[in-house]
Amino acid sequence: MIVAGIDVGAKNVHAVLIQDGVVLAKAAVVSGFDQEESAERGLQEAARVAGIDRSAIQAIAATGAGRKALAIAGQQPTEVLADGRGAAKLRPGARTVIDVGADEARAIRLSPEGKVLDFAINEKCAAGAGAFVEAMSRALDMSLGDFATSSLGSTQSIPMNAQCTVFAESEVVSLIHANTPAADIARAVHDAMASRVSAMVRRIGVDDPVVLGGGAALNVGFVKSLSEALGGVNVEVLPDAEYLGALGAALIAWESAS
Amino acid sequence: MTETQHFWRWSEKTYQAPDLDWRAASSITVGVDVGSVSSQAVILADGKLLAFNSTRTGSSSPDSALRAFRGAAEPIGLTLDDISYAVGTGYGRVNVPFADRTITEIACHARGANHMGGPSIRTILDMGGQDCKVIRIDERGKVLNFIMNDKCAAGTGRGMEVIADVLSVPIEDIGRRSFEIDEEPAAVSNVCTVFAKSEATSLLRAGWSVNKVLAAYCAAMAQRVAGLIERMQVEREFFITGGIGKNIGVTRRIERLIGVEAIKLPADSVLDPQIAGALGASLFAHSLYRKAQKEAAAAGGTAPGNGGTPGGAAEPAGEGAGVAG
């Protein structure tokens, strides 16, 4: 039996197919305006990667901001539940799960058995989400990848005064005018974002092991800053971090179908 | 090739009093407000409004201060050498090269609003480019208390500029157009300017008219600002300063929410709510200059000219209200 988990995020749709409890395929497509259509494109793409027909998918669980709009989904687990389930599978024993997406960030505390004990969410302010770093790399005219790596080469820590993404953009422009090296600006941006995310994580408590998922987990500069902001704890980046929610949803679909 | 249109660009403004000969005046005092988004200069001749200018703040605060001053002064042939006393205020106040002293923008807006709206003004809402303040004052324009948001673009002029660009609507048309709708929509749900941008685009795609989206955005901004005002509690009379004070889409919705109408400038007034800070600074400059002159006369010396010791004069009303920005 083949089931799908689909995570309809603000920026991307991630889909994971599971066959007999094992991951069969995964795919990501850009979220369009119509969430139903975006989800369908994600499923089609995952089916194509798996080399199966779309009609072979027997059950679908949807999570993410757009999950409620999906009539095709038999189950609609919350992002917190899906993230918790995915993290417990990818890193058994994980106690603190952090998921930083484009428009939203979450922190989840798990029991040793992988049950959700507590969580915190920021969905109100772009400064604690991936959109912040994206806007800043645009202001510096750098690709997100270059921006992330360049942060590691920084030699000095510059505090950013602005908390707001809109204001930070002007601050970055001033730093550029002051001939601040790009590496130091990138680090300042990652530090600022990490300080906001870590403040949210601290609300639920930080227990080892700490794992990180979501698109921002692919940003090495942010991961380093986050680890520092959390007082030097080891932040383990989950494999296929950006598929965390979709994987969790697929596991939930699989468990209830089998 | 067509030039890119910048929808956020508000018109810069300049004014020179038609019937005032500054050369006959015994003092020329200047207030310069270097804000995060706009800079203003107000020039007084013997305490009477001679000229003002409002311009966009550039990357350098000293240049912006000079540009604002020259915009007001050059059309009437006035130069830096003619200044008796100058006060700098605003976020870039320490970078006004020709200022004799600096005073916080809180105190200056209080004094400016007291002058513009009269002694009955007790509560001021200053909606600036990158912050928003609620200031409580007494009948002399002295600051009693204030609260501010300077952490988040939602509820500031900069946030409105972003929306103007996203919706391709000239910023000065937003207020009027936000009322050209059939029915008042619910406010946009997203407070964050970055998220409101994507929400605005989604609403357009869902078939909303641009005017309706503007209404929903103005309503969201009004809600946010009203929340700040209510933390302070509005005591009448109420006056609005700053650039957003000219956007009726926001101000009228704020008035509805808090149930208090703001005192408006008379229709024939040459003043502008955006110059309140610089006007207050120029009034402080005038008082400080007169006070210094009297003291000098009493001591048998001469009055200090340009370059007098900053901070050498007595504390003006409102000082001690805290440093902002």
Side-chain angles (χ1 to χ4, degrees):
Chain A
M1 179 155 97
I2 300 174
V3 301
I6 187 149
D7 179 1
V8 187
K11 197 158 168 57
N12 294 298
V13 171
H14 291 96
V16 170
L17 299 185
I18 287 185
Q19 182 169 33
D20 302 330
V22 179
V23 173
L24 176 67
K26 47 188 192 304
V29 297
V30 173
S31 292
F33 166 65
D34 183 339
Q35 289 168 325
E36 195 113 48
E37 183 272 339
S38 308
E40 191 51 45
R41 263 190 300 121
L43 289 172
Q44 299 275 4
E45 179 60 14
R48 192 191 62 76
V49 172
I52 60 161
D53 195 77
R54 159 74 177 82
S55 59
I57 301 172
Q58 287 162 281
I60 299 166
T63 190
R67 68 177 190 277
K68 295 255 170 67
L70 298 185
I72 50 166
Q75 284 170 291
Q76 293 163 346
T78 64
E79 296 94 311
V80 169
L81 210 59
D83 278 355
R85 188 67 195 84
K89 170 79 173 179
L90 291 169
R91 173 65 169 87
R95 299 298 305 278
T96 308
V97 184
I98 307 169
D99 180 348
V100 183
D103 272 14
E104 204 175 304
R106 287 177 287 279
I108 303 152
R109 191 147 61 86
L110 295 180
S111 73
E113 298 76 35
K115 203 171 151 270
V116 174
L117 298 177
D118 198 5
F119 66 92
I121 299 181
N122 162 36
E123 52 180 359
K124 298 243 179 284
C125 172
F132 179 67
V133 170
E134 217 167 286
M136 298 310 113
S137 70
R138 251 198 321 270
L140 268 177
D141 204 13
M142 284 169 90
S143 77
L144 206 49
D146 289 347
F147 188 77
T149 351
S150 75
S151 177
L152 301 178
S154 160
T155 52
Q156 55 173 333
S157 149
I158 303 165
M160 282 200 57
N161 298 314
Q163 291 189 21
C164 169
T165 306
V166 174
F167 297 165
E169 236 166 308
S170 340
E171 195 169 339
V172 164
V173 171
S174 315
L175 289 172
I176 296 170
H177 284 162
N179 291 322
T180 313
D184 294 335
I185 299 178
R187 177 173 168 194
V189 167
H190 291 130
D191 283 350
M193 181 175 157
S195 115
R196 292 187 77 85
V197 172
S198 66
M200 178 191 69
V201 178
R202 285 212 175 85
R203 294 212 315 258
I204 59 152
V206 187
D207 275 340
D208 268 332
V210 178
V211 298
L212 179 64
L218 308 179
N219 178 329
V220 286
F222 170 66
V223 176
K224 182 167 186 274
S225 294
L226 180 63
S227 166
E228 284 166 9
L230 286 171
V233 301
N234 182 31
V235 174
E236 296 179 31
V237 173
L238 292 169
D240 293 326
E242 70 275 36
Y243 290 94
L244 176 63
L247 172 70
L251 291 166
I252 289 167
W254 170 252
E255 279 150 19
S256 63
S258 59
Chain B
M1 244 169 61
T2 52
E3 210 182 311
T4 320
Q5 194 178 348
H6 297 295
F7 293 98
W8 52 259
R9 203 172 272 281
W10 34 269
S11 42
E12 307 199 337
K13 195 169 171 181
T14 191
Y15 166 84
Q16 284 78 27
D19 47 7
L20 206 56
D21 179 17
W22 64 267
R23 287 178 180 87
S26 63
S27 79
I28 297 292
T29 52
V30 179
V32 182
D33 181 357
V34 181
S36 50
V37 170
S38 70
S39 296
Q40 289 81 25
V42 171
I43 308 175
L44 305 180
D46 289 334
K48 289 198 196 70
L49 181 67
L50 173 66
F52 70 78
N53 183 246
S54 175
T55 182
R56 195 163 180 89
T57 300
S59 54
S60 146
S61 295
D63 288 354
S64 305
L66 277 169
R67 201 149 34 80
F69 171 72
R70 290 196 181 117
E74 270 175 5
I76 47 172
L78 196 140
T79 68
L80 285 174
D81 296 335
D82 301 312
I83 301 177
S84 315
Y85 201 94
V87 166
T89 188
Y91 151 94
R93 61 183 174 271
V94 294
N95 287 315
V96 179
F98 49 92
D100 295 289
R101 66 168 293 169
T102 62
I103 296 175
T104 71
E105 66 265 36
I106 314 265
C108 289
H109 270 274
R111 179 110 181 221
N114 169 271
H115 185 88
M116 281 187 184
S120 61
I121 302 297
R122 290 291 175 280
T123 311
I124 305 162
L125 169 65
D126 171 30
M127 301 182 74
Q130 286 205 7
D131 65 20
C132 182
K133 307 179 192 85
V134 183
I135 310 167
R136 176 66 62 73
I137 61 172
D138 69 10
E139 72 287 351
R140 292 180 303 132
K142 189 173 174 331
V143 176
L144 301 175
N145 196 3
F146 77 93
I147 47 172
M148 72 189 294
N149 157 41
D150 60 351
K151 302 261 181 272
C152 171
T156 70
R158 187 74 198 93
M160 191 54 89
E161 289 182 359
V162 169
I163 296 303
D165 257 0
V166 167
L167 296 175
S168 304
V169 175
I171 196 155
E172 284 158 347
D173 295 347
I174 287 179
R176 177 181 52 79
R177 287 188 56 177
S178 79
F179 289 112
E180 292 170 3
I181 45 171
D182 299 330
E183 201 190 336
E184 180 79 7
V188 291
S189 59
N190 275 312
V191 171
C192 174
T193 303
V194 175
F195 295 164
K197 245 162 81 172
S198 17
E199 190 172 359
T201 325
S202 310
L203 290 172
L204 286 180
R205 289 203 200 129
W208 285 40
S209 69
V210 170
N211 292 355
K212 195 172 164 188
V213 177
L214 289 173
Y217 186 74
C218 289
M221 192 180 261
Q223 275 180 9
R224 193 171 166 85
V225 174
L228 191 73
I229 298 171
E230 273 155 9
R231 267 170 53 202
M232 180 70 99
Q233 291 176 340
V234 203
E235 193 183 316
R236 288 172 187 262
E237 297 293 339
F238 174 54
F239 193 75
I240 305 178
T241 64
I244 296 271
K246 295 188 272 189
N247 182 329
I248 55 166
V250 178
T251 57
R252 281 196 195 156
R253 287 180 174 91
I254 292 174
E255 291 175 332
R256 272 185 214 162
L257 286 167
I258 64 171
V260 176
E261 257 193 61
I263 297 288
K264 312 286 187 314
L265 286 168
D268 59 349
S269 172
V270 297
L271 294 171
D272 183 308
Q274 206 170 356
I275 67 160
L279 176 66
S282 70
L283 292 166
F284 276 131
H286 181 65
S287 317
L288 288 165
Y289 180 67
R290 279 182 44 179
K291 186 161 182 162
Q293 257 187 330
K294 272 185 206 153
E295 281 169 4
T302 52
N306 186 23
T309 317
E315 294 293 293
E319 190 67 12
V323 175

